[in-house]
Amino acid sequence: MINVGIVGYGNLGKGVSLAIEKASDINCLGIFTRRNPESIRPLINTNVYEISKLVEFKDKIDVLLLCGGSATDLPKTTANYLKEFNTVDSFDTHAKIPEYEKALKDVAIKSKKVCAISIGWDPGIFSISRLLFSSVLPDGKDYTFWGKGVSQGHSDAIRRIKGVKNAIQYTIPKEDALKEVRGGKNPSLTTREKHLRECFVVIEDGADKEKIESEIKNMPNYFADYDTIVNFVSQEELDKNHSKLPHGGFVIRTGKTSIENNQVLELSLKLDSNPEFTGSVLLSYARAVYRLSKKGESGVFTVFDIPLKYLSPLAEEELKATLL
Amino acid sequence: MINVGIVGYGNLGKGVSLAIEKASDINCLGIFTRRNPESIRPLINTNVYEISKLVEFKDKIDVLLLCGGSATDLPKTTANYLKEFNTVDSFDTHAKIPEYEKALKDVAIKSKKVCAISIGWDPGIFSISRLLFSSVLPDGKDYTFWGKGVSQGHSDAIRRIKGVKNAIQYTIPKEDALKEVRGGKNPSLTTREKHLRECFVVIEDGADKEKIESEIKNMPNYFADYDTIVNFVSQEELDKNHSKLPHGGFVIRTGKTSIENNQVLELSLKLDSNPEFTGSVLLSYARAVYRLSKKGESGVFTVFDIPLKYLSPLAEEELKATLL
């Protein structure tokens, strides 16, 4: 059995805990939180501890699953956990991955621990597809589309507008763009041509709808470069129809192996629950971290570095006999 | 530069040679053939040698790309090449992979060479998807569909029928089955429900169409378990409309991360040329073999064992900065 601990019990931590229930080779030693442990109701049968208790599990936990956010939480805390534990995280600020890795490298080497960073589906499974597709079809172009799915960052940005009580934002890939890409036309697509943004917004009584809609549509970085649809709805409707966190998307690469022959490679994910799926991916990489550590490896690993056989609970012989 | 040699110059060898033209870090030292070298016109600018000359390239070739067939060629010859060379092959008889691997293992260890077997898209990229998908979504079911594409084995089987001059067989996935699978219904599908077989057949003057059609449709293993469409065409039509070797297919896994949440993962390939794409995959794994060998590794490797970063010509830092 592989013994793991969960640090942080938001949506991702919950997803990880549900994944542990489906893994017969993994055992959860506890959830560790900065909140009052009494306030947390785990979705699975396990103990909840204050984060300060973690040190007592130093020799019991094989891998720690870090379920904090990428903006401030992980950059501040991962190095510290890595001094005592093997870790897995879902750091997803793409532009800052090299910097994040650099900050952890020496710690991991010194503590002889294995640290898997930026695990999930993007970065993660999508990254695997981008690397694999570009390697096996070098003369081509690839495209990543996201959605249809809830973007937490964009939903939060709307919630910060004065007069807005609540909001959910869906990122939606444009069908025409997908079709053009799949057709092997290698189009140059603008931001606006690739994705649409649809918002469901609950406002305070008497708030100015027109002003809020304009503020959303013109928000730089978040919405200004997109076609954006704004729907005003009641809190009841939001709760009823928009309380799940679906997501997904497409990695498509098209290219040529000779003048006359086109090849189209596509990966697509359609996820009812983004955090549950991300949690499940994280857990499979926790298994890999455990195995790398048992082999005496140490350092920072990404999905590019880890042989896929380490992700499966099955023995190598069985993998080769059944899945190859 | 990585120096490679190509053994065998049928469709796959040609595909590999075209792929080499698109790889700026790989250099072709020659094509090695059992045929008369004079009879071969390479698609790229390289030398053609009799296979007996290969031994002279012992210290010059970093990786040998074995482009023979899986039925008799590879099982008989790979071990011999492996005594002097690192190798990559596309051995694709799924049921015999463990046996094939076993036969090569000791040779590779003894000769301190790296041997990558069963590289291509199935086995290969499809295997990667099956392993990855089943690891990150353990509570689910996966399906592999092939086509639309030409099956060489089925085409050959038709050509062996008396009165048949030529034939091309397409394997076609059934849309209804694909739809049901993507919908997350976890259906149990019979062979007949998953794929359709369509044949284009050229017959000899005066041959009995009805008899030939019946022989095809009732051929055990190949056609008897399928819905099969037989079209009789002229050699001209076959040459005009059915001379390419397209293929592809789908790996779809659907499953649950909790009672209410379904997740659908799908990989699809749409290939205008099966051998050109397979050749391109083979070449990217030749790069990986070279790197594993340089690191002092030896033994038999499959797509499950090789970290994906080794497939790309890009440096690790660049991969992380651009594709992760």
Side-chain angles (χ1 to χ4, degrees):
Chain A
M1 292 295 281
I2 304 170
N3 291 311
V4 303
I6 301 173
V7 176
Y9 206 62
N11 287 325
L12 181 58
K14 286 176 187 159
V16 167
S17 67
L18 291 171
I20 292 171
E21 280 220 310
K22 294 188 186 286
S24 58
D25 60 336
I26 298 180
N27 182 33
C28 184
L29 293 193
I31 293 161
F32 299 85
T33 178
R34 280 178 307 216
R35 290 184 272 166
N36 174 5
E38 304 281 318
S39 72
I40 287 177
R41 289 176 190 281
L43 299 178
I44 63 167
N45 184 19
T46 192
N47 294 317
V48 184
Y49 302 97
E50 257 184 46
I51 189 75
S52 61
K53 299 277 182 204
L54 184 58
V55 65
E56 296 170 19
F57 289 82
K58 195 169 117 55
D59 300 317
K60 294 178 194 137
I61 287 175
D62 295 311
V63 186
L64 208 53
L65 292 122
L66 307 180
C67 299
S70 299
T72 53
D73 214 17
L74 294 171
K76 272 191 197 158
T77 61
T78 304
N80 205 35
Y81 297 128
L82 194 51
K83 287 178 190 157
E84 313 278 9
F85 297 94
N86 297 310
T87 65
V88 185
D89 70 55
S90 67
F91 185 79
D92 66 358
T93 314
H94 290 261
K96 293 189 175 169
I97 294 173
E99 181 188 327
Y100 182 65
E101 186 192 9
K102 205 169 160 234
L104 298 172
K105 204 174 166 182
D106 291 343
V107 184
I109 298 294
K110 205 174 153 195
S111 67
K112 297 198 171 64
K113 298 294 179 191
V114 174
C115 168
I117 64 167
S118 301
I119 305 298
W121 58 273
D122 194 2
I125 294 174
F126 273 22
S127 322
I128 285 175
S129 302
R130 284 187 290 259
L131 171 53
L132 180 62
F133 291 177
S134 64
S135 301
V136 300
L137 190 62
D139 182 6
K141 194 169 171 185
D142 60 44
Y143 299 81
T144 300
F145 289 88
W146 295 274
K148 180 184 176 175
V150 172
S151 162
Q152 300 276 26
H154 288 78
S155 302
D156 287 344
I158 302 172
R159 288 185 201 117
R160 284 192 295 264
I161 293 173
K162 200 168 170 273
V164 170
K165 277 170 72 175
N166 208 341
I168 287 291
Q169 191 267 186
Y170 294 95
T171 307
I172 305 168
K174 287 196 175 173
E175 279 301 328
D176 286 352
L178 275 172
K179 210 171 150 184
E180 228 186 315
V181 167
R182 286 192 186 116
K185 290 183 184 152
N186 279 12
S188 291
L189 296 168
T190 62
T191 299
R192 191 178 300 274
E193 285 166 334
K194 283 182 75 185
H195 296 96
L196 181 76
R197 300 203 175 275
E198 185 167 22
C199 318
F200 293 85
V201 184
V202 183
I203 55 170
E204 287 165 6
D205 283 351
D208 183 342
K209 282 188 184 177
E210 227 166 281
K211 189 160 169 275
I212 289 172
E213 180 162 346
S214 164
E215 269 194 67
I216 295 172
K217 288 186 170 174
N218 295 302
M219 198 185 296
N221 301 321
Y222 286 87
F223 294 97
D225 297 335
Y226 295 86
D227 291 336
T228 302
I229 299 166
V230 177
N231 306 289
F232 291 100
V233 297
S234 65
Q235 182 64 47
E236 292 69 42
E237 193 182 326
L238 203 75
D239 291 343
K240 192 176 155 222
N241 298 326
H242 306 287
S243 64
K244 280 199 175 194
L245 293 169
H247 221 314
F250 309 84
V251 176
I252 306 171
R253 187 170 180 94
T254 64
K256 284 180 173 296
T257 46
S258 61
I259 292 164
E260 64 266 32
N261 289 321
N262 288 306
Q263 319 281 12
V264 184
L265 325 179
E266 175 170 346
L267 173 91
S268 70
L269 303 179
K270 196 165 159 268
L271 312 171
D272 275 358
S273 167
N274 179 356
E276 284 182 15
F277 183 66
T278 303
S280 190
V281 178
L282 230 60
L283 194 69
S284 71
Y285 276 88
R287 185 180 287 119
V289 163
Y290 171 79
R291 290 172 174 172
L292 288 167
S293 177
K294 282 281 168 203
K295 279 170 66 87
E297 301 261 8
S298 63
V300 181
F301 291 75
T302 72
V303 292
F304 294 166
D305 306 304
I306 298 173
L308 294 165
K309 65 180 172 187
Y310 292 137
L311 305 183
S312 172
L314 301 181
E316 280 187 43
E317 290 63 38
E318 201 175 345
L319 289 180
K320 281 174 195 161
T322 59
L323 297 176
L324 198 63
Chain B
M1 291 297 280
I2 304 169
N3 291 310
V4 302
I6 300 173
V7 176
Y9 207 63
N11 286 325
L12 180 58
K14 285 176 187 160
V16 167
S17 68
L18 290 171
I20 292 170
E21 278 220 309
K22 295 189 185 286
S24 57
D25 59 336
I26 299 179
N27 182 33
C28 185
L29 293 193
I31 294 161
F32 299 85
T33 179
R34 282 179 304 219
R35 291 184 272 167
N36 174 5
E38 304 281 319
S39 72
I40 286 178
R41 288 175 193 281
L43 299 178
I44 62 168
N45 184 18
T46 193
N47 294 317
V48 184
Y49 302 97
E50 256 184 49
I51 191 73
S52 62
K53 299 277 182 205
L54 184 59
V55 66
E56 296 171 20
F57 288 82
K58 193 169 120 53
D59 300 316
K60 293 179 194 136
I61 288 176
D62 295 311
V63 186
L64 209 52
L65 291 122
L66 307 181
C67 299
S70 299
T72 53
D73 213 16
L74 294 170
K76 272 193 197 159
T77 61
T78 304
N80 204 36
Y81 296 129
L82 193 52
K83 286 178 191 158
E84 312 279 8
F85 297 94
N86 297 310
T87 64
V88 185
D89 70 55
S90 67
F91 184 79
D92 65 359
T93 314
H94 290 261
K96 293 190 175 168
I97 293 173
E99 181 188 326
Y100 183 63
E101 185 191 8
K102 204 168 160 235
L104 299 173
K105 203 174 166 180
D106 292 342
V107 183
I109 298 293
K110 206 175 155 196
S111 67
K112 297 197 172 63
K113 297 294 179 191
V114 174
C115 167
I117 63 165
S118 301
I119 305 298
W121 61 272
D122 195 3
I125 293 173
F126 273 21
S127 323
I128 285 176
S129 302
R130 285 188 288 259
L131 171 53
L132 180 62
F133 291 177
S134 65
S135 300
V136 299
L137 189 62
D139 182 7
K141 193 169 171 186
D142 60 42
Y143 299 82
T144 300
F145 289 88
W146 295 273
K148 183 182 176 177
V150 172
S151 163
Q152 300 276 26
H154 288 79
S155 302
D156 286 343
I158 301 171
R159 287 186 201 118
R160 285 191 294 263
I161 294 173
K162 196 165 174 276
V164 170
K165 277 171 70 175
N166 207 341
I168 288 291
Q169 192 267 185
Y170 294 95
T171 306
I172 305 169
K174 287 195 176 174
E175 279 300 328
D176 286 352
L178 275 171
K179 211 171 149 184
E180 228 185 315
V181 167
R182 286 193 186 114
K185 290 184 185 152
N186 279 9
S188 291
L189 297 168
T190 63
T191 299
R192 191 178 299 274
E193 285 165 335
K194 283 183 75 186
H195 295 96
L196 181 78
R197 299 202 175 276
E198 185 167 20
C199 319
F200 293 85
V201 184
V202 182
I203 55 171
E204 286 164 7
D205 283 350
D208 183 342
K209 280 189 186 179
E210 228 167 282
K211 190 161 170 275
I212 289 172
E213 180 162 345
S214 163
E215 269 194 67
I216 295 173
K217 288 186 171 176
N218 295 303
M219 198 185 296
N221 302 320
Y222 286 87
F223 293 98
D225 298 333
Y226 296 85
D227 291 336
T228 302
I229 300 167
V230 177
N231 307 288
F232 291 100
V233 296
S234 64
Q235 182 65 47
E236 292 69 40
E237 192 182 325
L238 203 75
D239 291 343
K240 192 176 155 223
N241 298 325
H242 306 286
S243 64
K244 281 199 174 194
L245 294 169
H247 221 313
F250 309 84
V251 176
I252 305 172
R253 186 170 180 93
T254 64
K256 284 178 172 298
T257 47
S258 61
I259 293 162
E260 64 266 36
N261 289 321
N262 288 306
Q263 319 281 13
V264 184
L265 325 179
E266 176 170 346
L267 174 91
S268 70
L269 303 179
K270 196 164 158 271
L271 311 172
D272 275 359
S273 166
N274 179 357
E276 284 183 16
F277 183 68
T278 303
S280 191
V281 177
L282 229 61
L283 194 69
S284 70
Y285 275 89
R287 185 180 287 122
V289 163
Y290 171 78
R291 290 172 175 172
L292 288 167
S293 177
K294 282 282 167 200
K295 279 170 66 87
E297 302 260 9
S298 63
V300 181
F301 292 74
T302 72
V303 292
F304 294 166
D305 305 304
I306 298 173
L308 294 166
K309 65 180 172 187
Y310 292 136
L311 304 183
S312 171
L314 301 182
E316 280 188 42
E317 291 64 38
E318 200 175 346
L319 288 180
K320 282 175 195 161
T322 59
L323 297 176
L324 197 64

